[in-house]
Amino acid sequence: MLPLIILIGFIAIVSFFFSNNVLPYSTIKARSLLYNIQHKKPDINIQAGTFYNGVPDFSIKITTKDPATNRLNNLIIYDHRERRGNYSIILADSGYMRSTRDETGLIMTLYNGNGHNETGRKKC
């Protein structure tokens, strides 16, 4: 019974050391790496075929994404800044997304697109 008690004591000390020192350090490093990746390449979060709401007041949907060139194809962007639903929409054939140098903004370069706004008139 004594060897089992010693083994359990050793495992308890090692697991306490791991949980107290190693685990918090590795968690901080992993979250820091994820944060840096998301801010260097903002298009990494956008999945093809679903709406992305990571940009405040905008919903972005793409049909396909080329991982080699980071080109986004068939973009639909809903502008919700006026809080009136899908009042303003931007359609584009393709585009690219990148962060500003100070990483406080987002720059989207769109190609072959147009924008549509509702006039707000009621139908009679």
Side-chain angles (χ1 to χ4, degrees), residues 16-101:
F16 174 77
F17 176 77
F18 182 80
S19 296
N20 196 37
N21 297 320
V22 177
L23 192 61
Y25 179 77
S26 62
T27 302
I28 288 172
K29 288 294 187 182
R31 287 188 182 178
S32 175
L33 180 63
L34 179 63
Y35 178 81
N36 289 339
I37 290 171
Q38 287 176 341
H39 281 81
K40 294 290 181 190
K41 300 184 87 173
D43 62 335
I44 201 165
N45 292 331
I46 298 178
Q47 299 297 320
T50 61
F51 282 97
Y52 173 69
N53 295 317
V55 180
D57 298 327
F58 290 92
S59 292
I60 303 169
K61 182 180 178 185
I62 61 170
T63 304
T64 58
K65 178 170 68 170
D66 185 7
T69 62
N70 295 328
R71 179 180 165 158
L72 309 172
N73 295 318
N74 298 327
L75 285 101
I76 302 171
I77 303 171
Y78 291 104
D79 183 356
H80 297 287
R81 288 180 289 185
E82 295 191 23
R83 307 279 186 240
R84 294 179 15 177
N86 295 333
Y87 173 76
S88 179
I89 183 172
I90 299 169
L91 304 170
D93 179 48
S94 61
Y96 296 93
M97 182 186 295
R98 64 182 174 90
S99 296
T100 57
R101 289 182 192 251

